[in-house]
Amino acid sequence: MNYPNGIKKKITKIIDYKNRGMSLENYINDSNTYYLEKDIAVIHKKPTPIQVVNVEYPAKNKTKITEAFFKKPSTTDYNGIYKGKYIDFEAKETKSKTSFCLNNIHDHQLEHLKKVMEHGGIAFLIIEFIALNEIYLLLGIDLFNILENSHSKSISIETIRVKGHILKYGYCPRLDYLKIVDQIMEVSHEKNMEKNKNISIKNG
Amino acid sequence: MNYPNGIKKKITKIIDYKNRGMSLENYINDSNTYYLEKDIAVIHKKPTPIQVVNVEYPAKNKTKITEAFFKKPSTTDYNGIYKGKYIDFEAKETKSKTSFCLNNIHDHQLEHLKKVMEHGGIAFLIIEFIALNEIYLLLGIDLFNILENSHSKSISIETIRVKGHILKYGYCPRLDYLKIVDQIMEVSHEKNMEKNKNISIKNG
């Protein structure tokens, strides 16, 4: 459309980083590559566990798997190191607009996350509500608090909005989940400082 | 054999924990299970990376992989958390009696170990000399020191005996490699204490 005096309407390009058919897994893998290249963190996705039953050797130094099955994972999908801290998480998508069903996560994966927390690591879930275009990071401690106070097999979106931390779709990295981890580490550091201050006030 | 006066020769049972056909991988997996059950550490072997090419669905909820290939691993085999510290290592067996050839380890695995160290994790190799019945833990820092001062593609057993830490075959756990990690953490803690002491002497 041409405006008078050659004025053209400025077209504002709204970049919608989502709805490009990219899966949550790709978002996280892309972010991990970014973190690795920028020397920010070393976090990798673990390979999918597969039970190999039969193999063939079609050529020298070549092994072809001809029969195999997917196994249930015994741990989470992602782990690594960030600022000296052990990081461990599982990522899940849901089509639901109302809640995240825990059937999506195996019991031993939950146990694993709990163990990681007990040993001083940072454990969390990343949950994407595809239909809502919303992604949340839910800390292990908050996840287990919710589970202890509920008999339901699912967590409502309202609860996740309150207890979780929203993750914005971005470009570099695509999903800056370590920014949230930073905030968590800062809060926990401040709490420790406060505790130490109180101890020295009592002792002084 | 009967000795006079009913004295029987005492048979000393020498338990050789090795030579039972157990691979180094099994030794480490067994130890990791022990660490996990005793709540000492959370360390797992990563699944072998496999590229799936074709699958079939012989029954509902059943997926059969009919064509797949082994991929080169981009990281190490083992990682996890111990006393709040990120642990990362690769385990290798060699039949050689004289040296450990670095062709056994991919370049990106070495790069990965270096990155882990730079980010504050504890990185190492566990090397078994099968013919010698000897297993060593070689710390990342020592490994890279050796590599920097050598143009050889292999490390002699003499060097490994000096720079590495010997791991004894045991029963529970079968290979107590975290005992060595403890010693390393202790030494590094003492060094830090010493450094802090020197700083306060200077400042005082």
Side-chain angles (χ1 to χ4, degrees):
Chain A
M1 189 181 178
N2 284 323
Y3 284 79
N5 303 327
I7 296 166
K8 283 188 180 173
K9 197 180 173 192
K10 202 179 162 192
I11 298 162
T12 314
K13 204 176 159 193
I14 298 164
I15 302 169
D16 180 6
Y17 286 111
K18 194 47 194 169
N19 292 325
R20 290 177 177 181
M22 216 182 181
S23 70
L24 179 61
E25 185 181 319
N26 285 337
Y27 266 81
I28 295 172
N29 290 347
D30 262 32
S31 306
N32 288 344
T33 303
Y34 173 87
Y35 291 143
L36 193 68
E37 281 170 0
K38 294 281 174 191
D39 225 9
I40 295 167
V42 185
I43 299 167
H44 288 273
K45 186 179 183 293
K46 288 181 205 167
T48 308
I50 288 171
Q51 178 75 49
V52 176
V53 180
N54 264 316
V55 294
E56 277 175 14
Y57 303 94
K60 207 188 159 190
N61 289 330
K62 195 162 183 177
T63 309
K64 186 178 163 185
I65 299 161
T66 54
E67 192 184 351
F69 296 93
F70 291 107
K71 285 197 293 184
K72 263 193 195 174
S74 55
T75 65
T76 48
D77 267 358
Y78 301 89
N79 73 354
I81 184 167
Y82 174 53
K83 291 186 179 171
K85 282 273 182 190
Y86 177 80
I87 303 281
D88 198 300
F89 64 99
E90 183 67 22
K92 291 287 175 195
E93 294 175 351
T94 177
K95 286 175 186 166
S96 167
K97 289 182 181 182
T98 53
S99 66
F100 174 70
C101 183
L102 280 163
N103 287 341
N104 278 310
I105 302 173
H106 301 301
D107 284 347
H108 38 257
Q109 289 183 315
L110 289 176
E111 272 167 40
H112 174 75
L113 285 174
K114 205 174 233 173
K115 279 218 171 253
V116 165
M117 285 163 55
E118 286 163 4
H119 285 265
I122 297 174
F124 52 87
L125 294 181
I126 293 181
I127 306 166
E128 178 174 33
F129 287 84
I130 298 169
L132 302 172
N133 259 8
E134 291 174 33
I135 308 186
Y136 294 91
L137 186 153
L138 185 63
L139 261 189
I141 191 163
D142 295 319
L143 169 70
F144 292 109
N145 268 338
I146 295 167
L147 296 183
E148 273 163 27
N149 295 308
S150 155
H151 296 287
S152 168
K153 274 295 255 180
S154 69
I155 309 173
S156 74
I157 179 73
E158 289 80 17
T159 304
I160 289 175
R161 279 185 184 136
V162 173
K163 297 288 183 184
H165 305 260
I166 196 155
L167 289 174
K168 300 277 184 202
Y169 301 100
Y171 187 65
C172 263
R174 292 201 181 266
L175 206 62
D176 198 1
Y177 65 88
L178 288 182
K179 208 160 107 179
I180 305 296
V181 172
D182 270 335
Q183 291 168 14
I184 295 157
M185 279 161 78
E186 213 169 286
V187 169
S188 119
H189 178 71
E190 274 167 17
K191 270 189 192 163
N192 277 340
M193 293 286 281
E194 195 60 32
K195 216 161 70 182
N196 290 342
K197 215 173 100 184
N198 289 341
I199 289 168
S200 45
I201 287 169
K202 269 187 196 164
N203 292 346
Chain B
M1 187 181 178
N2 284 321
Y3 283 80
N5 304 327
I7 298 167
K8 283 186 182 175
K9 196 182 174 191
K10 203 179 162 192
I11 298 162
T12 315
K13 204 176 161 194
I14 297 164
I15 303 168
D16 180 6
Y17 287 110
K18 194 48 193 170
N19 292 324
R20 290 175 176 182
M22 218 182 180
S23 71
L24 180 60
E25 186 181 318
N26 285 338
Y27 266 81
I28 294 172
N29 290 348
D30 263 30
S31 306
N32 288 344
T33 303
Y34 174 87
Y35 291 143
L36 194 67
E37 282 172 359
K38 295 282 173 190
D39 226 9
I40 294 166
V42 185
I43 299 166
H44 288 274
K45 186 179 183 291
K46 289 183 204 164
T48 308
I50 288 172
Q51 178 76 48
V52 176
V53 181
N54 265 315
V55 294
E56 276 175 15
Y57 303 95
K60 206 188 160 189
N61 290 329
K62 193 161 184 178
T63 310
K64 185 178 163 185
I65 299 162
T66 54
E67 192 183 351
F69 296 94
F70 291 107
K71 285 197 293 184
K72 262 191 195 177
S74 55
T75 63
T76 47
D77 268 357
Y78 301 89
N79 73 355
I81 185 167
Y82 174 54
K83 291 185 178 170
K85 282 273 181 191
Y86 177 80
I87 303 281
D88 198 301
F89 64 98
E90 182 67 22
K92 291 287 175 196
E93 292 175 351
T94 177
K95 285 176 186 165
S96 166
K97 289 183 180 182
T98 54
S99 66
F100 175 70
C101 183
L102 281 164
N103 287 340
N104 278 312
I105 303 173
H106 301 301
D107 284 347
H108 38 259
Q109 289 184 315
L110 289 176
E111 272 166 39
H112 174 75
L113 285 174
K114 204 174 232 172
K115 279 217 172 255
V116 166
M117 285 163 55
E118 285 163 6
H119 284 265
I122 297 174
F124 52 88
L125 294 181
I126 293 181
I127 306 166
E128 178 174 33
F129 287 84
I130 299 170
L132 301 172
N133 259 8
E134 290 174 32
I135 308 186
Y136 293 91
L137 186 154
L138 185 64
L139 261 188
I141 191 163
D142 295 317
L143 169 70
F144 292 110
N145 268 338
I146 294 167
L147 295 184
E148 272 164 26
N149 296 308
S150 155
H151 296 286
S152 168
K153 277 292 255 178
S154 69
I155 308 173
S156 73
I157 179 73
E158 289 79 18
T159 303
I160 289 175
R161 280 184 183 137
V162 173
K163 297 285 183 187
H165 305 260
I166 196 155
L167 290 173
K168 299 279 184 200
Y169 302 101
Y171 187 65
C172 263
R174 291 200 181 267
L175 207 62
D176 197 2
Y177 65 88
L178 288 181
K179 207 161 108 179
I180 304 297
V181 172
D182 270 336
Q183 291 168 14
I184 293 157
M185 281 161 79
E186 212 168 288
V187 169
S188 119
H189 178 72
E190 273 167 17
K191 269 188 193 163
N192 277 340
M193 293 286 281
E194 194 62 31
K195 215 159 72 183
N196 291 342
K197 214 173 100 184
N198 288 341
I199 289 167
S200 45
I201 287 170
K202 269 187 194 163
N203 292 346

PDB file of all heavy atoms in Angstrom, chain A residues 54-56 64-70, chain B residues 51-58 63-69:
ATOM      1  N   ASN A  54      20.666 -57.979  18.237  1.00  0.00           N
ATOM      2  CA  ASN A  54      21.421 -58.602  17.146  1.00  0.00           C
ATOM      3  C   ASN A  54      22.226 -57.593  16.339  1.00  0.00           C
ATOM      4  O   ASN A  54      21.761 -56.481  16.101  1.00  0.00           O
ATOM      5  CB  ASN A  54      20.454 -59.312  16.189  1.00  0.00           C
ATOM      6  CG  ASN A  54      20.336 -60.776  16.515  1.00  0.00           C
ATOM      7  OD1 ASN A  54      21.335 -61.452  16.769  1.00  0.00           O
ATOM      8  ND2 ASN A  54      19.102 -61.268  16.533  1.00  0.00           N
ATOM      9  N   VAL A  55      23.410 -58.018  15.917  1.00  0.00           N
ATOM     10  CA  VAL A  55      24.225 -57.168  15.042  1.00  0.00           C
ATOM     11  C   VAL A  55      24.762 -57.988  13.865  1.00  0.00           C
ATOM     12  O   VAL A  55      24.838 -59.217  13.933  1.00  0.00           O
ATOM     13  CB  VAL A  55      25.432 -56.532  15.790  1.00  0.00           C
ATOM     14  CG1 VAL A  55      24.982 -55.545  16.847  1.00  0.00           C
ATOM     15  CG2 VAL A  55      26.321 -57.603  16.408  1.00  0.00           C
ATOM     16  N   GLU A  56      25.078 -57.278  12.797  1.00  0.00           N
ATOM     17  CA  GLU A  56      25.721 -57.901  11.627  1.00  0.00           C
ATOM     18  C   GLU A  56      26.982 -57.119  11.291  1.00  0.00           C
ATOM     19  O   GLU A  56      27.109 -55.952  11.679  1.00  0.00           O
ATOM     20  CB  GLU A  56      24.774 -57.853  10.426  1.00  0.00           C
ATOM     21  CG  GLU A  56      23.760 -58.973  10.392  1.00  0.00           C
ATOM     22  CD  GLU A  56      22.768 -58.815   9.242  1.00  0.00           C
ATOM     23  OE1 GLU A  56      23.032 -57.996   8.332  1.00  0.00           O
ATOM     24  OE2 GLU A  56      21.727 -59.482   9.287  1.00  0.00           O
ATOM     25  N   LYS A  64      26.457 -53.268  12.020  1.00  0.00           N
ATOM     26  CA  LYS A  64      25.084 -52.843  11.792  1.00  0.00           C
ATOM     27  C   LYS A  64      24.200 -53.529  12.822  1.00  0.00           C
ATOM     28  O   LYS A  64      24.252 -54.755  12.977  1.00  0.00           O
ATOM     29  CB  LYS A  64      24.686 -53.261  10.372  1.00  0.00           C
ATOM     30  CG  LYS A  64      23.319 -52.763   9.940  1.00  0.00           C
ATOM     31  CD  LYS A  64      23.052 -53.206   8.500  1.00  0.00           C
ATOM     32  CE  LYS A  64      21.589 -53.100   8.177  1.00  0.00           C
ATOM     33  NZ  LYS A  64      21.306 -53.643   6.826  1.00  0.00           N
ATOM     34  N   ILE A  65      23.416 -52.726  13.524  1.00  0.00           N
ATOM     35  CA  ILE A  65      22.480 -53.291  14.492  1.00  0.00           C
ATOM     36  C   ILE A  65      21.208 -53.657  13.730  1.00  0.00           C
ATOM     37  O   ILE A  65      20.620 -52.824  13.051  1.00  0.00           O
ATOM     38  CB  ILE A  65      22.175 -52.273  15.608  1.00  0.00           C
ATOM     39  CG1 ILE A  65      23.474 -51.912  16.360  1.00  0.00           C
ATOM     40  CG2 ILE A  65      21.131 -52.820  16.581  1.00  0.00           C
ATOM     41  CD1 ILE A  65      23.388 -50.623  17.155  1.00  0.00           C
ATOM     42  N   THR A  66      20.810 -54.935  13.819  1.00  0.00           N
ATOM     43  CA  THR A  66      19.639 -55.386  13.052  1.00  0.00           C
ATOM     44  C   THR A  66      18.421 -55.650  13.937  1.00  0.00           C
ATOM     45  O   THR A  66      17.323 -55.813  13.445  1.00  0.00           O
ATOM     46  CB  THR A  66      19.961 -56.667  12.263  1.00  0.00           C
ATOM     47  OG1 THR A  66      20.464 -57.639  13.195  1.00  0.00           O
ATOM     48  CG2 THR A  66      20.993 -56.405  11.188  1.00  0.00           C
ATOM     49  N   GLU A  67      18.645 -55.710  15.234  1.00  0.00           N
ATOM     50  CA  GLU A  67      17.519 -55.866  16.155  1.00  0.00           C
ATOM     51  C   GLU A  67      17.850 -55.196  17.483  1.00  0.00           C
ATOM     52  O   GLU A  67      18.881 -55.512  18.107  1.00  0.00           O
ATOM     53  CB  GLU A  67      17.193 -57.356  16.376  1.00  0.00           C
ATOM     54  CG  GLU A  67      15.863 -57.555  17.088  1.00  0.00           C
ATOM     55  CD  GLU A  67      15.579 -59.023  17.403  1.00  0.00           C
ATOM     56  OE1 GLU A  67      16.314 -59.904  16.920  1.00  0.00           O
ATOM     57  OE2 GLU A  67      14.635 -59.275  18.163  1.00  0.00           O
ATOM     58  N   ALA A  68      16.985 -54.304  17.887  1.00  0.00           N
ATOM     59  CA  ALA A  68      17.209 -53.591  19.148  1.00  0.00           C
ATOM     60  C   ALA A  68      15.896 -53.009  19.644  1.00  0.00           C
ATOM     61  O   ALA A  68      14.925 -52.912  18.891  1.00  0.00           O
ATOM     62  CB  ALA A  68      18.232 -52.484  18.936  1.00  0.00           C
ATOM     63  N   PHE A  69      15.877 -52.659  20.928  1.00  0.00           N
ATOM     64  CA  PHE A  69      14.665 -52.096  21.529  1.00  0.00           C
ATOM     65  C   PHE A  69      15.003 -50.894  22.408  1.00  0.00           C
ATOM     66  O   PHE A  69      16.085 -50.857  22.998  1.00  0.00           O
ATOM     67  CB  PHE A  69      13.943 -53.162  22.368  1.00  0.00           C
ATOM     68  CG  PHE A  69      13.452 -54.307  21.540  1.00  0.00           C
ATOM     69  CD1 PHE A  69      14.236 -55.458  21.374  1.00  0.00           C
ATOM     70  CD2 PHE A  69      12.227 -54.233  20.900  1.00  0.00           C
ATOM     71  CE1 PHE A  69      13.800 -56.504  20.583  1.00  0.00           C
ATOM     72  CE2 PHE A  69      11.775 -55.285  20.108  1.00  0.00           C
ATOM     73  CZ  PHE A  69      12.565 -56.419  19.937  1.00  0.00           C
ATOM     74  N   PHE A  70      14.082 -49.958  22.494  1.00  0.00           N
ATOM     75  CA  PHE A  70      14.258 -48.819  23.396  1.00  0.00           C
ATOM     76  C   PHE A  70      14.057 -49.296  24.827  1.00  0.00           C
ATOM     77  O   PHE A  70      13.162 -50.081  25.107  1.00  0.00           O
ATOM     78  CB  PHE A  70      13.245 -47.715  23.074  1.00  0.00           C
ATOM     79  CG  PHE A  70      13.499 -47.044  21.757  1.00  0.00           C
ATOM     80  CD1 PHE A  70      12.684 -47.284  20.655  1.00  0.00           C
ATOM     81  CD2 PHE A  70      14.578 -46.181  21.605  1.00  0.00           C
ATOM     82  CE1 PHE A  70      12.927 -46.672  19.433  1.00  0.00           C
ATOM     83  CE2 PHE A  70      14.830 -45.560  20.379  1.00  0.00           C
ATOM     84  CZ  PHE A  70      14.008 -45.814  19.289  1.00  0.00           C
TER      85      PHE A  70
ATOM     86  N   GLN B  51      22.658 -44.451  16.436  1.00  0.00           N
ATOM     87  CA  GLN B  51      21.881 -43.760  15.407  1.00  0.00           C
ATOM     88  C   GLN B  51      20.829 -44.725  14.865  1.00  0.00           C
ATOM     89  O   GLN B  51      21.168 -45.714  14.220  1.00  0.00           O
ATOM     90  CB  GLN B  51      22.831 -43.325  14.282  1.00  0.00           C
ATOM     91  CG  GLN B  51      22.161 -42.635  13.106  1.00  0.00           C
ATOM     92  CD  GLN B  51      21.780 -41.208  13.464  1.00  0.00           C
ATOM     93  OE1 GLN B  51      22.589 -40.461  14.006  1.00  0.00           O
ATOM     94  NE2 GLN B  51      20.543 -40.841  13.193  1.00  0.00           N
ATOM     95  N   VAL B  52      19.571 -44.432  15.157  1.00  0.00           N
ATOM     96  CA  VAL B  52      18.485 -45.302  14.689  1.00  0.00           C
ATOM     97  C   VAL B  52      18.095 -44.900  13.270  1.00  0.00           C
ATOM     98  O   VAL B  52      17.850 -43.730  12.990  1.00  0.00           O
ATOM     99  CB  VAL B  52      17.264 -45.200  15.638  1.00  0.00           C
ATOM    100  CG1 VAL B  52      16.095 -46.018  15.104  1.00  0.00           C
ATOM    101  CG2 VAL B  52      17.641 -45.673  17.037  1.00  0.00           C
ATOM    102  N   VAL B  53      18.053 -45.866  12.351  1.00  0.00           N
ATOM    103  CA  VAL B  53      17.720 -45.591  10.955  1.00  0.00           C
ATOM    104  C   VAL B  53      16.304 -46.071  10.624  1.00  0.00           C
ATOM    105  O   VAL B  53      15.528 -45.365   9.996  1.00  0.00           O
ATOM    106  CB  VAL B  53      18.745 -46.249   9.994  1.00  0.00           C
ATOM    107  CG1 VAL B  53      18.420 -45.937   8.543  1.00  0.00           C
ATOM    108  CG2 VAL B  53      20.160 -45.774  10.320  1.00  0.00           C
ATOM    109  N   ASN B  54      15.968 -47.276  11.055  1.00  0.00           N
ATOM    110  CA  ASN B  54      14.648 -47.834  10.754  1.00  0.00           C
ATOM    111  C   ASN B  54      14.014 -48.497  11.973  1.00  0.00           C
ATOM    112  O   ASN B  54      14.713 -49.135  12.762  1.00  0.00           O
ATOM    113  CB  ASN B  54      14.759 -48.887   9.645  1.00  0.00           C
ATOM    114  CG  ASN B  54      14.471 -48.281   8.282  1.00  0.00           C
ATOM    115  OD1 ASN B  54      13.504 -47.523   8.130  1.00  0.00           O
ATOM    116  ND2 ASN B  54      15.295 -48.615   7.305  1.00  0.00           N
ATOM    117  N   VAL B  55      12.707 -48.326  12.074  1.00  0.00           N
ATOM    118  CA  VAL B  55      11.978 -49.021  13.138  1.00  0.00           C
ATOM    119  C   VAL B  55      10.730 -49.683  12.562  1.00  0.00           C
ATOM    120  O   VAL B  55      10.242 -49.310  11.504  1.00  0.00           O
ATOM    121  CB  VAL B  55      11.544 -48.063  14.285  1.00  0.00           C
ATOM    122  CG1 VAL B  55      12.727 -47.509  15.050  1.00  0.00           C
ATOM    123  CG2 VAL B  55      10.669 -46.939  13.755  1.00  0.00           C
ATOM    124  N   GLU B  56      10.257 -50.693  13.293  1.00  0.00           N
ATOM    125  CA  GLU B  56       8.993 -51.360  12.943  1.00  0.00           C
ATOM    126  C   GLU B  56       8.108 -51.380  14.179  1.00  0.00           C
ATOM    127  O   GLU B  56       8.602 -51.249  15.301  1.00  0.00           O
ATOM    128  CB  GLU B  56       9.267 -52.806  12.508  1.00  0.00           C
ATOM    129  CG  GLU B  56       9.657 -52.950  11.053  1.00  0.00           C
ATOM    130  CD  GLU B  56      10.042 -54.393  10.730  1.00  0.00           C
ATOM    131  OE1 GLU B  56       9.729 -55.296  11.536  1.00  0.00           O
ATOM    132  OE2 GLU B  56      10.678 -54.595   9.680  1.00  0.00           O
ATOM    133  N   TYR B  57       6.808 -51.561  13.969  1.00  0.00           N
ATOM    134  CA  TYR B  57       5.873 -51.641  15.087  1.00  0.00           C
ATOM    135  C   TYR B  57       5.159 -52.990  15.061  1.00  0.00           C
ATOM    136  O   TYR B  57       4.059 -53.098  14.543  1.00  0.00           O
ATOM    137  CB  TYR B  57       4.877 -50.477  15.016  1.00  0.00           C
ATOM    138  CG  TYR B  57       5.579 -49.132  14.997  1.00  0.00           C
ATOM    139  CD1 TYR B  57       5.864 -48.495  13.792  1.00  0.00           C
ATOM    140  CD2 TYR B  57       5.981 -48.536  16.187  1.00  0.00           C
ATOM    141  CE1 TYR B  57       6.543 -47.270  13.786  1.00  0.00           C
ATOM    142  CE2 TYR B  57       6.653 -47.317  16.182  1.00  0.00           C
ATOM    143  CZ  TYR B  57       6.928 -46.689  14.971  1.00  0.00           C
ATOM    144  OH  TYR B  57       7.594 -45.493  14.968  1.00  0.00           O
ATOM    145  N   PRO B  58       5.813 -54.030  15.601  1.00  0.00           N
ATOM    146  CA  PRO B  58       5.236 -55.378  15.526  1.00  0.00           C
ATOM    147  C   PRO B  58       3.956 -55.528  16.348  1.00  0.00           C
ATOM    148  O   PRO B  58       3.143 -56.396  16.068  1.00  0.00           O
ATOM    149  CB  PRO B  58       6.339 -56.278  16.075  1.00  0.00           C
ATOM    150  CG  PRO B  58       7.203 -55.383  16.885  1.00  0.00           C
ATOM    151  CD  PRO B  58       7.100 -54.014  16.299  1.00  0.00           C
ATOM    152  N   THR B  63       7.986 -50.912  19.852  1.00  0.00           N
ATOM    153  CA  THR B  63       8.803 -50.422  18.752  1.00  0.00           C
ATOM    154  C   THR B  63      10.044 -51.293  18.647  1.00  0.00           C
ATOM    155  O   THR B  63      10.760 -51.483  19.629  1.00  0.00           O
ATOM    156  CB  THR B  63       9.231 -48.961  18.996  1.00  0.00           C
ATOM    157  OG1 THR B  63       8.082 -48.201  19.326  1.00  0.00           O
ATOM    158  CG2 THR B  63       9.883 -48.367  17.746  1.00  0.00           C
ATOM    159  N   LYS B  64      10.262 -51.823  17.458  1.00  0.00           N
ATOM    160  CA  LYS B  64      11.445 -52.649  17.230  1.00  0.00           C
ATOM    161  C   LYS B  64      12.371 -51.892  16.285  1.00  0.00           C
ATOM    162  O   LYS B  64      11.939 -51.452  15.216  1.00  0.00           O
ATOM    163  CB  LYS B  64      11.005 -53.966  16.599  1.00  0.00           C
ATOM    164  CG  LYS B  64      12.119 -54.969  16.430  1.00  0.00           C
ATOM    165  CD  LYS B  64      11.560 -56.250  15.840  1.00  0.00           C
ATOM    166  CE  LYS B  64      12.660 -57.110  15.267  1.00  0.00           C
ATOM    167  NZ  LYS B  64      12.106 -58.292  14.602  1.00  0.00           N
ATOM    168  N   ILE B  65      13.616 -51.739  16.696  1.00  0.00           N
ATOM    169  CA  ILE B  65      14.597 -51.071  15.833  1.00  0.00           C
ATOM    170  C   ILE B  65      15.170 -52.136  14.897  1.00  0.00           C
ATOM    171  O   ILE B  65      15.673 -53.168  15.354  1.00  0.00           O
ATOM    172  CB  ILE B  65      15.716 -50.426  16.684  1.00  0.00           C
ATOM    173  CG1 ILE B  65      15.105 -49.365  17.612  1.00  0.00           C
ATOM    174  CG2 ILE B  65      16.790 -49.802  15.785  1.00  0.00           C
ATOM    175  CD1 ILE B  65      15.996 -48.972  18.772  1.00  0.00           C
ATOM    176  N   THR B  66      15.069 -51.905  13.588  1.00  0.00           N
ATOM    177  CA  THR B  66      15.529 -52.921  12.637  1.00  0.00           C
ATOM    178  C   THR B  66      16.820 -52.512  11.930  1.00  0.00           C
ATOM    179  O   THR B  66      17.450 -53.324  11.266  1.00  0.00           O
ATOM    180  CB  THR B  66      14.446 -53.196  11.575  1.00  0.00           C
ATOM    181  OG1 THR B  66      14.077 -51.949  10.978  1.00  0.00           O
ATOM    182  CG2 THR B  66      13.219 -53.840  12.196  1.00  0.00           C
ATOM    183  N   GLU B  67      17.173 -51.243  12.042  1.00  0.00           N
ATOM    184  CA  GLU B  67      18.441 -50.800  11.463  1.00  0.00           C
ATOM    185  C   GLU B  67      18.995 -49.640  12.289  1.00  0.00           C
ATOM    186  O   GLU B  67      18.321 -48.630  12.495  1.00  0.00           O
ATOM    187  CB  GLU B  67      18.243 -50.353  10.006  1.00  0.00           C
ATOM    188  CG  GLU B  67      19.575 -50.166   9.285  1.00  0.00           C
ATOM    189  CD  GLU B  67      19.410 -49.642   7.850  1.00  0.00           C
ATOM    190  OE1 GLU B  67      18.273 -49.591   7.353  1.00  0.00           O
ATOM    191  OE2 GLU B  67      20.441 -49.278   7.257  1.00  0.00           O
ATOM    192  N   ALA B  68      20.214 -49.800  12.738  1.00  0.00           N
ATOM    193  CA  ALA B  68      20.840 -48.756  13.550  1.00  0.00           C
ATOM    194  C   ALA B  68      22.345 -48.931  13.526  1.00  0.00           C
ATOM    195  O   ALA B  68      22.858 -49.997  13.141  1.00  0.00           O
ATOM    196  CB  ALA B  68      20.312 -48.836  14.977  1.00  0.00           C
ATOM    197  N   PHE B  69      23.050 -47.881  13.906  1.00  0.00           N
ATOM    198  CA  PHE B  69      24.515 -47.917  13.916  1.00  0.00           C
ATOM    199  C   PHE B  69      25.063 -47.282  15.188  1.00  0.00           C
ATOM    200  O   PHE B  69      24.461 -46.347  15.720  1.00  0.00           O
ATOM    201  CB  PHE B  69      25.073 -47.175  12.692  1.00  0.00           C
ATOM    202  CG  PHE B  69      24.697 -47.828  11.399  1.00  0.00           C
ATOM    203  CD1 PHE B  69      23.566 -47.420  10.698  1.00  0.00           C
ATOM    204  CD2 PHE B  69      25.453 -48.880  10.889  1.00  0.00           C
ATOM    205  CE1 PHE B  69      23.194 -48.044   9.514  1.00  0.00           C
ATOM    206  CE2 PHE B  69      25.092 -49.505   9.708  1.00  0.00           C
ATOM    207  CZ  PHE B  69      23.962 -49.087   9.023  1.00  0.00           C
TER     208      PHE B  69
END
